[in-house]
Amino acid sequence: MSPAVPARGGKSSSGVTDGSVSAVFPTVREILALDPVRHGAPRVVAGDDGLDRPVRWVHVAEVPDIATLLGGGELVLTTGIGLPADDAGLRAFIGDLADVGVSGLVVELGRRYLSGVPRVMAAAADRRGLPLVELRRATPFVRITEAVHALIVDAQLTELRATEEIHQRFNDLSVEGADTAEVIRQAAELSGCPVVLENLSRQVLGYDPAGESAELLLDGWEQHSRRIRPAGRTAYDLDSGWLVTTVGARGQDWGRLLLRWPASGDVPSAQAGEPTAGPPTRLTILIERAASTLALGRLIRRDAEGLERQIHRTLLTALLDHSRPVDEVGLRAKALGVVLDRRHLVGVMVRHRADDAAGEVGPEAAQARLRDLAEAVGQAVREAKLTALTSAVDDHSVGALLALPDPAAEDRALSAFASALHRVRLDAGTGRASTAGVDPARGAGPAAVIVAAGSGVGSLREARRSLVEARQIAEAARRDRRDLPIFRLPHVGLAGLLHLLRDEPRLQTFVERELGTLLEYDARHPREQLLDTLRAYLEQGRNKSAAAAVAHLSRPAFYERLARIARILDVDLDSVEAALSLHVALLALEAVRAP
């Protein structure tokens, strides 16, 4: 990890040692390459396979019962003058060192052993996989201990500097409000390892392969991810080679950040005496800092709108997120000339059917498209002579909270708004080069949008319900091919409702709670796919004969599968309530997996 140990890995362009490097301790092999050791003409006589064990410290000993004073990971130096003379004693000495987990044994010849260590000692060391090294020339042990300990301290200082850079880098990213892709890229660059961000349903939200094949990295990701089950909020899964931490803020977890170490995919196996079989501490610090930066970035909203539009957005966001008292929102809106008290309020959301217009790529084009839509919505409100708060509320949607004199005006106001919006956007599309795009189905004019309205409410305290409902309807309506001027709640079925809630962590948690154990079983037994069996059973109204026919299975085989599903999920599949819960979870899973 330091320049003195080049064999264990290189450095990234940032100067931080890459993630393929092992822990801060040098290995037995590296110590044998040091000048004070080479002066002693070292020769490995046993335990070659253990030469890559890390050495935590060097200990000089001349007594046979030294094992009781060791803690594991030490390189023991001895002249052998105090070792047992009999074969059984030598075997016991080697066995005690191996049991306590020392990294290796170095014996200087010339005092007790003249031409070489006893064969019985070499055979015992080889049998236990313990590196045994002869020094054929007299060597001051103090020079060896000084060199090794300096190497360890230097490596630890390098690790400390790398940790300081990690903290500074992610502090800068947090202050700059870096997006998700940039945070993941920086994590991959600093570690030299592939990094993946996923949601609670094991869907990939972002990744950086760190120079490896992205296709191989993400192939069959969901099933692979379900096999990664570390113990703890941040932990290393030795079986898979992934370092994992939970991502979330304010008690709301919404994903996992995973870093594969080592980058080659060859997971190191734990050996007796090694301080750790996992990644270095700095990678744990790195992934936790990256996760906290991602969580913080999700909480921060930045925009480049004018002051008035910023206030509109602030007030709409406050209603959606409960970030300000309702009375304060009403007071500030009134100061803007938008009276919300004692009004009939209707939440409206407007969004494009497709997230990206034809021919447009990149975030700048998407932001320009969203700004055009926000301007069109604001102009439509004015042309329809309505009072409303209007602003973009996320990366795809423009929200409006209409303030009407009474409930009887709701249908008329919504129709007037939809007609005005169509005219405004049509004029923009034909009168100038609109950044809103072109509807490929029509060949001209602005790209198709969805106008969704929530249920009207009688007070500002209920306004959030109408806005959230409108946003949900707009999301679900993207799957609806009907060309309705306004989508309302009756137009959205259960599947659509679950689709629009697919990014909600609580829905993903529900899916995991209901189906997680079955999904994990299918991941371990890909040929069985019991989830399909459960789907057939529920879609056929729990008619086992019909479901068996749909699944192309004999009834005994189908019944046996149902029994296995019931055991795995610990539910009674004949229970109407349990079946309903599982059916909703299946629909939710399909919504979460939908592109």
Side-chain angles (χ1 to χ4, degrees), residues 357-358 429 434-448:
S434 173
T435 56
V438 174
D439 185 354
R442 299 179 182 178

Side-chain angles (χ1 to χ4, degrees), residues 317-329:
T317 302
L319 289 173
L320 286 167
D321 298 344
H322 294 302
S323 57
R324 293 177 183 270
V326 172
D327 293 341
E328 181 183 340
V329 173

